[in-house]
Amino acid sequence: MTDEDLRTRLVSTGAELLAQEGPQALTLREIARRAGVSHGAPRRHFPTHLALLSAIARRGFEDLATRLEQAPAGGPREQLAGLARTYLEFAAEQPGMYELMFRHDLLESGELGLRDTSLPLFARLGALIAAARPGGDPTAAAGAFWANLHGLAQLHRWGSLQLATGRAEIEPLLAAALDAHLGPVAP
C-alpha cells in the first residue's frame, strides 16, 4: 500500500466512522483500528489529530461543493434558494460531517487547504446575495443568512423548530428566511 493509499484510507475510514457515530468517535486510535493499521500509522500522514480531522472535513466541503454545483440555475434569488436547500439537505443527510465541517474550534482551518474549500462556498453565497439584493454589505448579509441557514439546520435536527412552529417541513421556514434577508418576492 502506498503512502497516498493509506492517507486516503484513513480519511475514508474517519468519514465512515463520523457517519456512524459522530464527531466524538473520531480518535486516532479508533480510526487506525478500523483502517486495520497500527495506532501510530496515522501520525506518519497526519502530524496531529486536528490535521486528520481537517482532512476529513475537507472531504465534506468537497462533497458539499459538488452538490452545490448541481443546484438549479435561474436568477440570483432562485440560485440562492437552491443553494440553501442543498445546504439544508446536506446537513440533514450527513449530520456528523456537517457538524465537523463547521466546528472550527476543532479544526486547523489552515491545514490541508481546508480554507480553500470552505471560503469559496461563503464567497458564492455573498455574490448571490449581492446580486439578489444590491447595496449594503454583502459579506455581512451573507454571514447573517448563513447563520440563519445553520440555525435552521441545527434546530430542525434537534426537533426544536418542529416543536416551536408545529411544522415538520423546513421549506416554509426557508422561504421566510429568504424573504427576511432579500425582501418578499414581488407579486
Side-chain angles (χ1 to χ4, degrees):
M1 174 180 302
T2 68
D3 282 349
E4 191 56 37
D5 289 342
L6 179 55
R7 182 182 179 84
T8 300
R9 187 158 131 204
L10 290 167
V11 172
S12 295
T13 300
E16 291 167 11
L17 180 60
L18 180 61
Q20 294 167 1
E21 299 184 30
Q24 70 283 355
L26 292 176
T27 65
L28 285 174
R29 187 173 293 275
E30 184 60 15
I31 292 170
R33 186 186 73 73
R34 289 187 184 213
V37 299
S38 72
H39 69 274
R43 295 268 187 215
R44 288 195 311 250
H45 302 285
F46 301 99
T48 66
H49 182 230
L50 295 177
L52 178 53
L53 293 180
S54 293
I56 296 167
R58 180 183 173 91
R59 180 171 289 181
F61 278 113
E62 290 168 349
D63 180 24
L64 180 57
T66 299
R67 290 178 184 214
L68 291 174
E69 288 171 8
Q70 299 166 10
R77 186 183 185 104
E78 291 79 20
Q79 289 182 49
L80 190 60
L83 180 147
R85 280 186 198 95
T86 300
Y87 182 89
L88 293 171
E89 288 167 5
F90 180 88
E93 292 168 10
Q94 296 191 43
M97 181 64 81
Y98 176 79
E99 181 180 342
L100 177 66
M101 289 165 55
F102 296 105
R103 291 286 310 271
H104 290 281
D105 59 322
L106 297 179
L107 302 175
E108 292 181 11
S109 296
E111 288 290 316
L112 306 168
L114 188 56
R115 287 184 184 136
D116 297 338
T117 57
S118 62
L119 292 180
L121 298 176
F122 184 78
R124 181 174 174 198
L125 182 64
L128 286 172
I129 287 177
R133 188 175 181 188
D137 180 350
T139 302
F145 186 67
W146 176 41
N148 200 164
L149 285 179
H150 195 78
L152 285 172
Q154 286 297 99
L155 292 172
H156 193 269
R157 179 171 172 232
W158 295 331
S160 300
L161 278 176
Q162 297 89 317
L163 180 65
T165 65
R167 298 172 180 220
E169 62 281 340
I170 202 166
E171 186 65 30
L173 301 171
L174 174 57
L178 286 164
D179 286 350
H181 290 278
L182 303 177
V185 176

